[in-house]
mmCIF file with all atom_site columns, all heavy atoms in Angstrom:
data_model
loop_
_atom_site.group_PDB
_atom_site.id
_atom_site.type_symbol
_atom_site.label_atom_id
_atom_site.label_alt_id
_atom_site.label_comp_id
_atom_site.label_asym_id
_atom_site.label_entity_id
_atom_site.label_seq_id
_atom_site.pdbx_PDB_ins_code
_atom_site.Cartn_x
_atom_site.Cartn_y
_atom_site.Cartn_z
_atom_site.occupancy
_atom_site.B_iso_or_equiv
_atom_site.pdbx_formal_charge
_atom_site.auth_seq_id
_atom_site.auth_comp_id
_atom_site.auth_asym_id
_atom_site.auth_atom_id
_atom_site.pdbx_PDB_model_num
ATOM 1   N N   . LEU A 1 224 ? 18.024  61.165 -15.509 1.00 84.00 ? 1673 LEU A N   1
ATOM 2   C CA  . LEU A 1 224 ? 18.018  62.541 -16.053 1.00 84.00 ? 1673 LEU A CA  1
ATOM 3   C C   . LEU A 1 224 ? 17.465  63.527 -15.097 1.00 84.00 ? 1673 LEU A C   1
ATOM 4   O O   . LEU A 1 224 ? 17.331  64.706 -15.431 1.00 84.00 ? 1673 LEU A O   1
ATOM 5   C CB  . LEU A 1 224 ? 17.147  62.607 -17.351 1.00 84.00 ? 1673 LEU A CB  1
ATOM 6   C CG  . LEU A 1 224 ? 17.774  61.858 -18.599 1.00 84.00 ? 1673 LEU A CG  1
ATOM 7   C CD1 . LEU A 1 224 ? 16.801  61.807 -19.740 1.00 84.00 ? 1673 LEU A CD1 1
ATOM 8   C CD2 . LEU A 1 224 ? 18.960  62.588 -19.049 1.00 84.00 ? 1673 LEU A CD2 1
ATOM 9   N N   . GLY A 1 225 ? 17.241  63.108 -13.915 1.00 80.00 ? 1674 GLY A N   1
ATOM 10  C CA  . GLY A 1 225 ? 16.825  64.084 -12.824 1.00 80.00 ? 1674 GLY A CA  1
ATOM 11  C C   . GLY A 1 225 ? 15.283  64.167 -12.699 1.00 80.00 ? 1674 GLY A C   1
ATOM 12  O O   . GLY A 1 225 ? 14.824  65.098 -12.036 1.00 80.00 ? 1674 GLY A O   1
ATOM 13  N N   . GLN A 1 226 ? 14.512  63.309 -13.438 1.00 79.00 ? 1675 GLN A N   1
ATOM 14  C CA  . GLN A 1 226 ? 13.076  63.449 -13.297 1.00 79.00 ? 1675 GLN A CA  1
ATOM 15  C C   . GLN A 1 226 ? 12.612  62.733 -12.020 1.00 79.00 ? 1675 GLN A C   1
ATOM 16  O O   . GLN A 1 226 ? 12.983  61.738 -11.672 1.00 79.00 ? 1675 GLN A O   1
ATOM 17  C CB  . GLN A 1 226 ? 12.377  62.874 -14.508 1.00 79.00 ? 1675 GLN A CB  1
ATOM 18  C CG  . GLN A 1 226 ? 10.910  63.109 -14.445 1.00 79.00 ? 1675 GLN A CG  1
ATOM 19  C CD  . GLN A 1 226 ? 10.191  62.389 -15.565 1.00 79.00 ? 1675 GLN A CD  1
ATOM 20  O OE1 . GLN A 1 226 ? 10.029  61.160 -15.504 1.00 79.00 ? 1675 GLN A OE1 1
ATOM 21  N NE2 . GLN A 1 226 ? 9.756   63.131 -16.662 1.00 79.00 ? 1675 GLN A NE2 1
ATOM 22  N N   . ARG A 1 227 ? 11.651  63.484 -11.298 1.00 81.00 ? 1676 ARG A N   1
ATOM 23  C CA  . ARG A 1 227 ? 11.050  62.731 -10.242 1.00 81.00 ? 1676 ARG A CA  1
ATOM 24  C C   . ARG A 1 227 ? 9.877   61.948 -10.733 1.00 81.00 ? 1676 ARG A C   1
ATOM 25  O O   . ARG A 1 227 ? 8.766   62.452 -10.844 1.00 81.00 ? 1676 ARG A O   1
ATOM 26  C CB  . ARG A 1 227 ? 10.560  63.783 -9.085  1.00 81.00 ? 1676 ARG A CB  1
ATOM 27  C CG  . ARG A 1 227 ? 11.805  64.340 -8.379  1.00 81.00 ? 1676 ARG A CG  1
ATOM 28  C CD  . ARG A 1 227 ? 11.398  65.130 -7.227  1.00 81.00 ? 1676 ARG A CD  1
ATOM 29  N NE  . ARG A 1 227 ? 11.803  66.488 -7.436  1.00 81.00 ? 1676 ARG A NE  1
ATOM 30  C CZ  . ARG A 1 227 ? 11.426  67.493 -6.558  1.00 81.00 ? 1676 ARG A CZ  1
ATOM 31  N NH1 . ARG A 1 227 ? 10.730  67.249 -5.457  1.00 81.00 ? 1676 ARG A NH1 1
ATOM 32  N NH2 . ARG A 1 227 ? 11.807  68.730 -6.732  1.00 81.00 ? 1676 ARG A NH2 1
ATOM 33  N N   . THR A 1 228 ? 10.145  60.739 -11.147 1.00 78.00 ? 1677 THR A N   1
ATOM 34  C CA  . THR A 1 228 ? 9.104   59.967 -11.887 1.00 78.00 ? 1677 THR A CA  1
ATOM 35  C C   . THR A 1 228 ? 7.843   59.787 -11.030 1.00 78.00 ? 1677 THR A C   1
ATOM 36  O O   . THR A 1 228 ? 6.751   59.812 -11.632 1.00 78.00 ? 1677 THR A O   1
ATOM 37  C CB  . THR A 1 228 ? 9.664   58.605 -12.306 1.00 78.00 ? 1677 THR A CB  1
ATOM 38  O OG1 . THR A 1 228 ? 10.321  57.999 -11.171 1.00 78.00 ? 1677 THR A OG1 1
ATOM 39  C CG2 . THR A 1 228 ? 10.741  58.732 -13.411 1.00 78.00 ? 1677 THR A CG2 1
ATOM 40  N N   . ALA A 1 229 ? 8.060   59.573 -9.759  1.00 79.00 ? 1678 ALA A N   1
ATOM 41  C CA  . ALA A 1 229 ? 6.786   59.298 -8.957  1.00 79.00 ? 1678 ALA A CA  1
ATOM 42  C C   . ALA A 1 229 ? 5.870   60.583 -9.030  1.00 79.00 ? 1678 ALA A C   1
ATOM 43  O O   . ALA A 1 229 ? 4.634   60.323 -9.191  1.00 79.00 ? 1678 ALA A O   1
ATOM 44  C CB  . ALA A 1 229 ? 7.239   59.074 -7.562  1.00 79.00 ? 1678 ALA A CB  1
ATOM 45  N N   . HIS A 1 230 ? 6.471   61.747 -8.922  1.00 84.00 ? 1679 HIS A N   1
ATOM 46  C CA  . HIS A 1 230 ? 5.574   62.967 -9.021  1.00 84.00 ? 1679 HIS A CA  1
ATOM 47  C C   . HIS A 1 230 ? 4.792   62.995 -10.371 1.00 84.00 ? 1679 HIS A C   1
ATOM 48  O O   . HIS A 1 230 ? 3.611   63.234 -10.340 1.00 84.00 ? 1679 HIS A O   1
ATOM 49  C CB  . HIS A 1 230 ? 6.501   64.180 -8.993  1.00 84.00 ? 1679 HIS A CB  1
ATOM 50  C CG  . HIS A 1 230 ? 6.949   64.506 -7.586  1.00 84.00 ? 1679 HIS A CG  1
ATOM 51  N ND1 . HIS A 1 230 ? 7.319   65.782 -7.149  1.00 84.00 ? 1679 HIS A ND1 1
ATOM 52  C CD2 . HIS A 1 230 ? 7.021   63.756 -6.506  1.00 84.00 ? 1679 HIS A CD2 1
ATOM 53  C CE1 . HIS A 1 230 ? 7.651   65.702 -5.871  1.00 84.00 ? 1679 HIS A CE1 1
ATOM 54  N NE2 . HIS A 1 230 ? 7.509   64.486 -5.440  1.00 84.00 ? 1679 HIS A NE2 1
ATOM 55  N N   . ILE A 1 231 ? 5.539   62.770 -11.381 1.00 85.00 ? 1680 ILE A N   1
ATOM 56  C CA  . ILE A 1 231 ? 4.964   62.818 -12.663 1.00 85.00 ? 1680 ILE A CA  1
ATOM 57  C C   . ILE A 1 231 ? 3.801   61.809 -12.773 1.00 85.00 ? 1680 ILE A C   1
ATOM 58  O O   . ILE A 1 231 ? 2.672   62.134 -13.261 1.00 85.00 ? 1680 ILE A O   1
ATOM 59  C CB  . ILE A 1 231 ? 5.963   62.565 -13.849 1.00 85.00 ? 1680 ILE A CB  1
ATOM 60  C CG1 . ILE A 1 231 ? 7.063   63.624 -13.757 1.00 85.00 ? 1680 ILE A CG1 1
ATOM 61  C CG2 . ILE A 1 231 ? 5.256   62.529 -15.228 1.00 85.00 ? 1680 ILE A CG2 1
ATOM 62  C CD1 . ILE A 1 231 ? 6.572   65.016 -13.919 1.00 85.00 ? 1680 ILE A CD1 1
ATOM 63  N N   . LYS A 1 232 ? 4.055   60.610 -12.307 1.00 83.00 ? 1681 LYS A N   1
ATOM 64  C CA  . LYS A 1 232 ? 2.994   59.534 -12.438 1.00 83.00 ? 1681 LYS A CA  1
ATOM 65  C C   . LYS A 1 232 ? 1.817   59.833 -11.575 1.00 83.00 ? 1681 LYS A C   1
ATOM 66  O O   . LYS A 1 232 ? 0.733   59.655 -11.977 1.00 83.00 ? 1681 LYS A O   1
ATOM 67  C CB  . LYS A 1 232 ? 3.626   58.246 -11.952 1.00 83.00 ? 1681 LYS A CB  1
ATOM 68  C CG  . LYS A 1 232 ? 4.477   57.601 -13.031 1.00 83.00 ? 1681 LYS A CG  1
ATOM 69  C CD  . LYS A 1 232 ? 4.978   56.247 -12.607 1.00 83.00 ? 1681 LYS A CD  1
ATOM 70  C CE  . LYS A 1 232 ? 5.834   55.643 -13.767 1.00 83.00 ? 1681 LYS A CE  1
ATOM 71  N NZ  . LYS A 1 232 ? 6.425   54.399 -13.294 1.00 83.00 ? 1681 LYS A NZ  1
ATOM 72  N N   . VAL A 1 233 ? 1.992   60.497 -10.322 1.00 84.00 ? 1682 VAL A N   1
ATOM 73  C CA  . VAL A 1 233 ? 0.897   60.805 -9.558  1.00 84.00 ? 1682 VAL A CA  1
ATOM 74  C C   . VAL A 1 233 ? 0.078   61.864 -10.224 1.00 84.00 ? 1682 VAL A C   1
ATOM 75  O O   . VAL A 1 233 ? -1.169  61.884 -10.264 1.00 84.00 ? 1682 VAL A O   1
ATOM 76  C CB  . VAL A 1 233 ? 1.393   61.231 -8.132  1.00 84.00 ? 1682 VAL A CB  1
ATOM 77  C CG1 . VAL A 1 233 ? 0.244   61.952 -7.411  1.00 84.00 ? 1682 VAL A CG1 1
ATOM 78  C CG2 . VAL A 1 233 ? 1.938   60.090 -7.366  1.00 84.00 ? 1682 VAL A CG2 1
ATOM 79  N N   . LEU A 1 234 ? 0.714   62.898 -10.754 1.00 88.00 ? 1683 LEU A N   1
ATOM 80  C CA  . LEU A 1 234 ? 0.034   63.952 -11.481 1.00 88.00 ? 1683 LEU A CA  1
ATOM 81  C C   . LEU A 1 234 ? -0.798  63.389 -12.596 1.00 88.00 ? 1683 LEU A C   1
ATOM 82  O O   . LEU A 1 234 ? -1.936  63.733 -12.765 1.00 88.00 ? 1683 LEU A O   1
ATOM 83  C CB  . LEU A 1 234 ? 0.999   65.029 -12.025 1.00 88.00 ? 1683 LEU A CB  1
ATOM 84  C CG  . LEU A 1 234 ? 1.387   66.152 -11.088 1.00 88.00 ? 1683 LEU A CG  1
ATOM 85  C CD1 . LEU A 1 234 ? 2.377   67.070 -11.760 1.00 88.00 ? 1683 LEU A CD1 1
ATOM 86  C CD2 . LEU A 1 234 ? 0.149   66.979 -10.676 1.00 88.00 ? 1683 LEU A CD2 1
ATOM 87  N N   . ALA A 1 235 ? -0.144  62.538 -13.453 1.00 88.00 ? 1684 ALA A N   1
ATOM 88  C CA  . ALA A 1 235 ? -0.812  61.974 -14.510 1.00 88.00 ? 1684 ALA A CA  1
ATOM 89  C C   . ALA A 1 235 ? -2.072  61.177 -14.043 1.00 88.00 ? 1684 ALA A C   1
ATOM 90  O O   . ALA A 1 235 ? -3.138  61.222 -14.614 1.00 88.00 ? 1684 ALA A O   1
ATOM 91  C CB  . ALA A 1 235 ? 0.130   61.085 -15.343 1.00 88.00 ? 1684 ALA A CB  1
ATOM 92  N N   . ALA A 1 236 ? -1.857  60.412 -12.991 1.00 86.00 ? 1685 ALA A N   1
ATOM 93  C CA  . ALA A 1 236 ? -2.970  59.601 -12.413 1.00 86.00 ? 1685 ALA A CA  1
ATOM 94  C C   . ALA A 1 236 ? -4.083  60.532 -12.000 1.00 86.00 ? 1685 ALA A C   1
ATOM 95  O O   . ALA A 1 236 ? -5.281  60.199 -12.283 1.00 86.00 ? 1685 ALA A O   1
ATOM 96  C CB  . ALA A 1 236 ? -2.474  58.734 -11.309 1.00 86.00 ? 1685 ALA A CB  1
ATOM 97  N N   . ALA A 1 237 ? -3.771  61.637 -11.353 1.00 88.00 ? 1686 ALA A N   1
ATOM 98  C CA  . ALA A 1 237 ? -4.812  62.545 -10.975 1.00 88.00 ? 1686 ALA A CA  1
ATOM 99  C C   . ALA A 1 237 ? -5.599  63.098 -12.164 1.00 88.00 ? 1686 ALA A C   1
ATOM 100 O O   . ALA A 1 237 ? -6.817  63.131 -12.156 1.00 88.00 ? 1686 ALA A O   1
ATOM 101 C CB  . ALA A 1 237 ? -4.177  63.779 -10.190 1.00 88.00 ? 1686 ALA A CB  1
ATOM 102 N N   . ALA A 1 238 ? -4.899  63.433 -13.170 1.00 91.00 ? 1687 ALA A N   1
ATOM 103 C CA  . ALA A 1 238 ? -5.490  63.910 -14.395 1.00 91.00 ? 1687 ALA A CA  1
ATOM 104 C C   . ALA A 1 238 ? -6.464  62.750 -15.007 1.00 91.00 ? 1687 ALA A C   1
ATOM 105 O O   . ALA A 1 238 ? -7.555  63.103 -15.390 1.00 91.00 ? 1687 ALA A O   1
ATOM 106 C CB  . ALA A 1 238 ? -4.520  64.291 -15.433 1.00 91.00 ? 1687 ALA A CB  1
ATOM 107 N N   . ILE A 1 239 ? -5.961  61.540 -15.018 1.00 90.00 ? 1688 ILE A N   1
ATOM 108 C CA  . ILE A 1 239 ? -6.732  60.418 -15.554 1.00 90.00 ? 1688 ILE A CA  1
ATOM 109 C C   . ILE A 1 239 ? -7.985  60.271 -14.799 1.00 90.00 ? 1688 ILE A C   1
ATOM 110 O O   . ILE A 1 239 ? -9.108  60.182 -15.353 1.00 90.00 ? 1688 ILE A O   1
ATOM 111 C CB  . ILE A 1 239 ? -5.881  59.123 -15.495 1.00 90.00 ? 1688 ILE A CB  1
ATOM 112 C CG1 . ILE A 1 239 ? -4.697  59.171 -16.441 1.00 90.00 ? 1688 ILE A CG1 1
ATOM 113 C CG2 . ILE A 1 239 ? -6.746  57.930 -15.764 1.00 90.00 ? 1688 ILE A CG2 1
ATOM 114 C CD1 . ILE A 1 239 ? -3.765  57.994 -16.189 1.00 90.00 ? 1688 ILE A CD1 1
ATOM 115 N N   . ILE A 1 240 ? -7.898  60.294 -13.499 1.00 89.00 ? 1689 ILE A N   1
ATOM 116 C CA  . ILE A 1 240 ? -9.102  60.093 -12.648 1.00 89.00 ? 1689 ILE A CA  1
ATOM 117 C C   . ILE A 1 240 ? -10.074 61.229 -12.858 1.00 89.00 ? 1689 ILE A C   1
ATOM 118 O O   . ILE A 1 240 ? -11.329 61.018 -13.004 1.00 89.00 ? 1689 ILE A O   1
ATOM 119 C CB  . ILE A 1 240 ? -8.677  59.948 -11.139 1.00 89.00 ? 1689 ILE A CB  1
ATOM 120 C CG1 . ILE A 1 240 ? -8.057  58.520 -11.001 1.00 89.00 ? 1689 ILE A CG1 1
ATOM 121 C CG2 . ILE A 1 240 ? -9.853  60.135 -10.197 1.00 89.00 ? 1689 ILE A CG2 1
ATOM 122 C CD1 . ILE A 1 240 ? -7.186  58.409 -9.843  1.00 89.00 ? 1689 ILE A CD1 1
ATOM 123 N N   . LEU A 1 241 ? -9.602  62.501 -12.909 1.00 90.00 ? 1690 LEU A N   1
ATOM 124 C CA  . LEU A 1 241 ? -10.541 63.570 -13.164 1.00 90.00 ? 1690 LEU A CA  1
ATOM 125 C C   . LEU A 1 241 ? -11.292 63.409 -14.462 1.00 90.00 ? 1690 LEU A C   1
ATOM 126 O O   . LEU A 1 241 ? -12.481 63.576 -14.566 1.00 90.00 ? 1690 LEU A O   1
ATOM 127 C CB  . LEU A 1 241 ? -9.782  64.954 -13.104 1.00 90.00 ? 1690 LEU A CB  1
ATOM 128 C CG  . LEU A 1 241 ? -9.344  65.375 -11.717 1.00 90.00 ? 1690 LEU A CG  1
ATOM 129 C CD1 . LEU A 1 241 ? -8.355  66.516 -11.797 1.00 90.00 ? 1690 LEU A CD1 1
ATOM 130 C CD2 . LEU A 1 241 ? -10.596 65.919 -10.929 1.00 90.00 ? 1690 LEU A CD2 1
ATOM 131 N N   . LEU A 1 242 ? -10.480 63.141 -15.555 1.00 91.00 ? 1691 LEU A N   1
ATOM 132 C CA  . LEU A 1 242 ? -11.065 63.069 -16.781 1.00 91.00 ? 1691 LEU A CA  1
ATOM 133 C C   . LEU A 1 242 ? -12.012 61.890 -16.970 1.00 91.00 ? 1691 LEU A C   1
ATOM 134 O O   . LEU A 1 242 ? -13.139 62.009 -17.421 1.00 91.00 ? 1691 LEU A O   1
ATOM 135 C CB  . LEU A 1 242 ? -9.936  62.988 -17.893 1.00 91.00 ? 1691 LEU A CB  1
ATOM 136 C CG  . LEU A 1 242 ? -9.074  64.236 -18.023 1.00 91.00 ? 1691 LEU A CG  1
ATOM 137 C CD1 . LEU A 1 242 ? -7.748  63.932 -18.867 1.00 91.00 ? 1691 LEU A CD1 1
ATOM 138 C CD2 . LEU A 1 242 ? -9.866  65.326 -18.709 1.00 91.00 ? 1691 LEU A CD2 1
ATOM 139 N N   . ALA A 1 243 ? -11.488 60.712 -16.560 1.00 89.00 ? 1692 ALA A N   1
ATOM 140 C CA  . ALA A 1 243 ? -12.382 59.411 -16.799 1.00 89.00 ? 1692 ALA A CA  1
ATOM 141 C C   . ALA A 1 243 ? -13.600 59.534 -15.833 1.00 89.00 ? 1692 ALA A C   1
ATOM 142 O O   . ALA A 1 243 ? -14.635 59.207 -16.306 1.00 89.00 ? 1692 ALA A O   1
ATOM 143 C CB  . ALA A 1 243 ? -11.538 58.215 -16.492 1.00 89.00 ? 1692 ALA A CB  1
ATOM 144 N N   . GLY A 1 244 ? -13.437 59.979 -14.619 1.00 88.00 ? 1693 GLY A N   1
ATOM 145 C CA  . GLY A 1 244 ? -14.551 59.989 -13.655 1.00 88.00 ? 1693 GLY A CA  1
ATOM 146 C C   . GLY A 1 244 ? -15.620 60.968 -14.096 1.00 88.00 ? 1693 GLY A C   1
ATOM 147 O O   . GLY A 1 244 ? -16.783 60.679 -14.143 1.00 88.00 ? 1693 GLY A O   1
ATOM 148 N N   . ALA A 1 245 ? -15.166 62.158 -14.639 1.00 89.00 ? 1694 ALA A N   1
ATOM 149 C CA  . ALA A 1 245 ? -16.148 63.112 -15.040 1.00 89.00 ? 1694 ALA A CA  1
ATOM 150 C C   . ALA A 1 245 ? -16.857 62.626 -16.327 1.00 89.00 ? 1694 ALA A C   1
ATOM 151 O O   . ALA A 1 245 ? -18.063 62.789 -16.448 1.00 89.00 ? 1694 ALA A O   1
ATOM 152 C CB  . ALA A 1 245 ? -15.452 64.510 -15.327 1.00 89.00 ? 1694 ALA A CB  1
ATOM 153 N N   . ALA A 1 246 ? -16.085 61.992 -17.168 1.00 90.00 ? 1695 ALA A N   1
ATOM 154 C CA  . ALA A 1 246 ? -16.749 61.412 -18.412 1.00 90.00 ? 1695 ALA A CA  1
ATOM 155 C C   . ALA A 1 246 ? -17.759 60.450 -18.131 1.00 90.00 ? 1695 ALA A C   1
ATOM 156 O O   . ALA A 1 246 ? -18.834 60.359 -18.729 1.00 90.00 ? 1695 ALA A O   1
ATOM 157 C CB  . ALA A 1 246 ? -15.631 60.834 -19.325 1.00 90.00 ? 1695 ALA A CB  1
ATOM 158 N N   . VAL A 1 247 ? -17.446 59.497 -17.113 1.00 86.00 ? 1696 VAL A N   1
ATOM 159 C CA  . VAL A 1 247 ? -18.460 58.477 -16.773 1.00 86.00 ? 1696 VAL A CA  1
ATOM 160 C C   . VAL A 1 247 ? -19.663 59.163 -16.144 1.00 86.00 ? 1696 VAL A C   1
ATOM 161 O O   . VAL A 1 247 ? -20.803 58.788 -16.464 1.00 86.00 ? 1696 VAL A O   1
ATOM 162 C CB  . VAL A 1 247 ? -17.894 57.386 -15.865 1.00 86.00 ? 1696 VAL A CB  1
ATOM 163 C CG1 . VAL A 1 247 ? -18.901 56.523 -15.324 1.00 86.00 ? 1696 VAL A CG1 1
ATOM 164 C CG2 . VAL A 1 247 ? -16.758 56.680 -16.534 1.00 86.00 ? 1696 VAL A CG2 1
ATOM 165 N N   . ALA A 1 248 ? -19.434 60.165 -15.314 1.00 85.00 ? 1697 ALA A N   1
ATOM 166 C CA  . ALA A 1 248 ? -20.589 60.794 -14.623 1.00 85.00 ? 1697 ALA A CA  1
ATOM 167 C C   . ALA A 1 248 ? -21.553 61.501 -15.659 1.00 85.00 ? 1697 ALA A C   1
ATOM 168 O O   . ALA A 1 248 ? -22.735 61.456 -15.602 1.00 85.00 ? 1697 ALA A O   1
ATOM 169 C CB  . ALA A 1 248 ? -20.125 61.887 -13.675 1.00 85.00 ? 1697 ALA A CB  1
ATOM 170 N N   . ALA A 1 249 ? -20.958 61.932 -16.755 1.00 87.00 ? 1698 ALA A N   1
ATOM 171 C CA  . ALA A 1 249 ? -21.803 62.571 -17.796 1.00 87.00 ? 1698 ALA A CA  1
ATOM 172 C C   . ALA A 1 249 ? -22.431 61.625 -18.726 1.00 87.00 ? 1698 ALA A C   1
ATOM 173 O O   . ALA A 1 249 ? -23.547 61.796 -19.180 1.00 87.00 ? 1698 ALA A O   1
ATOM 174 C CB  . ALA A 1 249 ? -20.927 63.618 -18.600 1.00 87.00 ? 1698 ALA A CB  1
#
Side-chain angles (χ1 to χ4, degrees):
Chain A
L1673 287 170
Q1675 187 186 72
R1676 287 191 244 173
T1677 49
H1679 282 203
I1680 298 303
K1681 284 184 179 172
V1682 167
L1683 271 179
I1688 291 167
I1689 284 158
L1690 284 167
L1691 291 167
V1696 172

